[in-house]
Amino acid sequence: MISPILTVSGADAAPGARSLAQALEDGAVLMFPDLDFPFSAFETRFVERPFADGKAKNVNIRGEAAALKGAAGSPEEQEALRQVLIRYRSFAQGLIDRFLPEYTGRISLAGTSYRPFDVDRRKLSWRRDDTRLHVDAFPSNPIGEKRILRVFRNINPSGQPRRWRVGEDFGSMAEKFLPRLPGYSPLSARLLATLRITKAKRSEYDHLMLHLHDALKQDAAYQETAPQADVTFLPGQTWVTFSDLVMHGAMGGQYMLEQTAYLPVTAQAHPEKSPQRILAAKLGRPLR
């Protein structure tokens, strides 16, 4: 089954409405067509040309201090861009509180990014080519028993859509690729953490997800023939998904905002639908 795209309206936040958290946990992408996030006259410059230093693929803020990294422009412009990202972080939190109340107070916001470059201009190698179907995993930042929830918004000023493709369900993909993956070494995981190559010790789950990410991207035949569907997100649209569960590839589009959030597996309505539990079930044992 290919991940569904569900259009969400204000009525979906009303008492008794369908559970959007359950839809997310089932592998859906939620699309919000009309949530308001205005730019001031001064801020429109951030969608007229990229305010990025070019050293990384995006500009971001992290933590309570919300220090801006990767930006270009005058001090006044950089501060204005920082405030846009702070405001987007609040926007994402408000979306979660309104439409995903089951997660309120249990989710933690991580990095917030401004992505001003066209997707197709960022290809460096197959591993870093985000046009290829993949699930998200962070090489230096093990997440263990947490989920990766992401809130995206297309802010392109000229009508250019953000083009994605989404793949088959996580379980079906895992059955194909798990037999190919190398075994997990706790000793190697401890060494990486001791040398500070990773921020914490990689769990077996982190190990498997990193190798799934790479195996998916490297398999050209799978990229061509796997079940998949093209999706477009228009300017002004916001979409939300568990990017560790939904296979996706970013195929085109310039100017986007993104918020990453973490949710403990135990905070899910159905923890058994997490990739952590799906992988354990496929292997027939708990993950280490």
Side-chain angles (χ1 to χ4, degrees):
M1 183 182 73
I2 295 172
S3 298
I5 312 298
L6 300 183
T7 301
V8 181
S9 68
D12 288 297
R18 58 180 171 171
S19 171
L20 296 176
Q22 183 169 320
L24 278 177
E25 292 176 18
D26 284 336
V29 179
L30 306 182
M31 194 281 287
F32 300 80
D34 52 9
L35 297 180
D36 195 31
F37 187 80
F39 278 64
S40 70
F42 185 88
E43 291 167 348
T44 58
R45 67 192 61 205
F46 302 131
V47 294
E48 292 170 350
R49 67 177 178 85
F51 277 75
D53 62 16
K55 296 177 182 178
K57 65 182 180 181
N58 57 58
V59 176
N60 65 77
I61 58 170
R62 294 180 185 275
E64 292 185 9
L68 188 69
K69 295 184 179 180
S74 68
E76 180 186 17
E77 288 168 330
Q78 291 196 35
E79 176 58 22
L81 179 54
R82 190 177 80 92
Q83 291 300 323
V84 167
L85 292 179
I86 290 172
R87 197 168 79 245
Y88 186 70
R89 183 168 63 188
S90 296
F91 167 88
Q93 183 67 66
L95 183 156
I96 292 165
D97 293 342
R98 180 182 178 190
F99 293 97
L100 303 166
E102 301 96 319
Y103 298 160
T104 295
R106 311 189 78 178
I107 206 161
S108 59
L109 300 185
T112 314
S113 64
Y114 157 72
R115 303 186 174 198
F117 298 116
D118 192 294
V119 168
D120 290 336
R121 298 176 187 175
R122 299 206 311 257
K123 296 179 182 177
L124 298 174
S125 67
W126 62 263
R127 184 175 280 110
R128 299 182 65 183
D129 181 2
D130 286 341
T131 68
R132 303 187 185 206
L133 287 170
H134 64 282
V135 286
D136 283 350
F138 303 142
S140 64
N141 186 23
I143 63 169
E145 284 288 291
K146 296 193 292 288
R147 303 295 312 281
I148 303 172
L149 183 74
R150 284 185 145 162
V151 181
F152 303 92
R153 185 176 179 88
N154 185 348
I155 57 170
N156 190 281
S158 58
Q160 184 182 16
R162 193 78 174 183
R163 295 186 293 109
W164 266 28
R165 55 179 175 146
V166 294
E168 65 180 328
D169 67 278
F170 185 90
S172 297
M173 175 275 292
E175 285 184 357
K176 298 179 178 77
F177 283 88
L178 270 177
R180 310 184 193 179
L181 305 185
Y184 171 66
S185 166
L187 178 61
S188 176
R190 284 197 297 272
L191 181 60
L192 290 172
T194 300
L195 296 175
R196 297 186 179 180
I197 295 172
T198 59
K199 296 178 182 178
K201 180 186 172 184
R202 280 181 187 163
S203 66
E204 185 177 16
Y205 169 73
D206 295 303
H207 167 85
L208 291 172
M209 289 295 283
L210 284 169
H211 284 284
L212 278 175
H213 173 278
D214 288 357
L216 281 164
K217 284 190 173 183
Q218 194 173 21
D219 191 329
Y222 183 82
Q223 293 290 327
E224 290 292 328
T225 64
Q228 56 192 279
D230 294 329
V231 185
T232 58
F233 301 102
L234 300 176
Q237 292 183 342
T238 305
W239 61 106
V240 181
T241 197
F242 279 117
S243 62
D244 53 2
L245 182 71
V246 173
M247 282 201 299
H248 58 285
M251 307 306 295
Q254 186 176 12
Y255 296 113
M256 183 178 73
L257 296 176
E258 176 270 341
Q259 176 66 55
T260 297
Y262 296 131
L263 179 77
V265 170
T266 54
Q268 290 189 219
H270 298 283
E272 71 275 9
K273 295 181 179 180
S274 67
Q276 286 89 342
R277 302 296 179 265
I278 293 172
L279 290 174
K282 297 296 181 186
L283 291 172
R285 58 171 176 78
L287 300 183
R288 293 175 286 169

